[in-house]
Amino acid sequence: MFSSGSNPRYLPTGHLVYGAEGRLWAVRFDASRLEVNGTPALVLTSVLTKDSGAVNVAISNNGSLGYVSGTGAIAERSELVLVDRQRRVTPVAQTEATGRYIHPGFAPDGRRVAVSVRQGPGAFEDSGADLWVLDLDRRTRNRLTFAQSNLLPIWSPDGSRIAFARGFAGRLDILSVAADGSSEPQALLVGGGAYPASWSGDGRTIAYAEQNDLWMLSLDGGPTSSLFLRTPFNESAPRFSPDGRWVAYTSDKTGQSEVYVRPFRDPGTEEIVSAGGGREPVWAHNGSELYFRSGSQMLAARIETFRAVSRLA
């Protein structure tokens, strides 16, 4: 009848739908006899699939179908690489922590990388992830967490600790852990939906986003939060400059996501950095440039003008 298929779903209409080679098929199925009746019929010709062959579809009890269109497969595993200004790509030595590498971040010394790794059959979904530290010189690895979903690692300015989010969308706590794994994680902010983004150069403040607003978590005398920026629009990814004077972030106030910079101590003024789209800003360690993503490109803006943008990749 058919030689291969994956991700089968039974419908109240008496049909069995399944994926094969990036397409969605349906065939009549007698649930009482567990028998296929008839010939499979093609339903959709272009459904994005994962490496496992599972098609990205959802079907309700009334027969309504939702799907992700596209061709090819979504990789359930990824490779961590380094890219220089000449666009040369160098793979980071693979570790036993195979899976999807997400949210990598360099330590201040540039020799270590903290990264979240999703593993197992659900590596593509928002499932469990753990934090690892990879030593690029020694080619060693160290696992820091062993439970729940641990995301968005950011380094303290002295490289001794890593702050991160634990939980899922809508319920993300901020914790910190020793970068060498010598202690258990400690809670800094509990009960919110916080997305930590950067740690100030003096080690006293963590910038984070929550419910489309930007916040600052002061670590002086016990963690306390204060609002940094709230507008009718969506702001995210607040990143301190190395000298702590500026905060870069993204906002969709123009109708699309763009990168902005405003002073940390005077958040009432701002400068737009990107033109034609921008997100995920990251400062150069010497503070001379601001990197950001625009579509599939990585761009850089010199901080002297915030306007001289050059293509990196």
Side-chain angles (χ1 to χ4, degrees), residues 107 112 114 132-134 142-144 155-156 158-162 176-183:
R112 294 168 293 164
W132 293 73
V133 171
L134 310 180
N142 190 20
R143 186 175 179 179
L144 302 185
W155 291 84
S156 65
D158 63 1
S160 66
R161 298 192 67 81
I162 296 172
S176 74
V177 65
D180 61 3
S182 61
S183 64

Side-chain angles (χ1 to χ4, degrees), residues 29-157:
F29 185 76
D30 188 331
S32 62
R33 297 185 178 184
L34 300 180
E35 292 180 352
V36 172
N37 296 322
T39 302
L42 183 63
V43 179
L44 293 169
T45 60
S46 180
V47 182
L48 207 60
T49 65
K50 298 188 289 185
D51 281 351
S52 62
V55 289
N56 282 265
V57 299
I59 303 172
S60 68
N61 289 335
N62 66 7
S64 298
L65 182 146
Y67 70 99
V68 180
S69 64
T71 58
I74 299 175
E76 293 182 347
R77 297 192 176 187
S78 60
E79 185 178 18
L80 202 61
V81 300
L82 305 178
V83 183
D84 63 18
R85 295 297 291 259
Q86 286 70 46
R87 308 182 190 179
R88 292 187 294 252
V89 178
T90 303
V92 175
Q94 285 289 338
T95 74
E96 293 180 5
T98 55
R100 283 188 59 84
Y101 294 91
I102 52 177
H103 310 140
F106 273 106
D109 60 16
R111 299 168 57 187
R112 294 168 293 164
V113 174
V115 63
S116 295
V117 183
R118 287 195 177 113
Q119 302 180 70
F124 181 72
E125 284 80 14
D126 189 12
S127 58
D130 280 302
L131 299 185
W132 293 73
V133 171
L134 310 180
D135 190 306
L136 302 183
D137 293 338
R138 299 169 58 195
R139 296 179 178 268
T140 59
R141 65 191 184 278
N142 190 20
R143 186 175 179 179
L144 302 185
T145 61
F146 297 86
Q148 303 182 53
S149 188
N150 305 279
L151 310 165
L152 302 166
I154 56 173
W155 291 84
S156 65

Side-chain angles (χ1 to χ4, degrees), residues 249-268:
Y249 59 97
T250 63
S251 174
D252 63 359
K253 64 186 297 182
T254 64
Q256 65 178 349
S257 180
E258 300 283 5
V259 175
Y260 294 81
V261 169
R262 63 174 61 219
F264 175 42
R265 300 300 180 185
D266 179 22

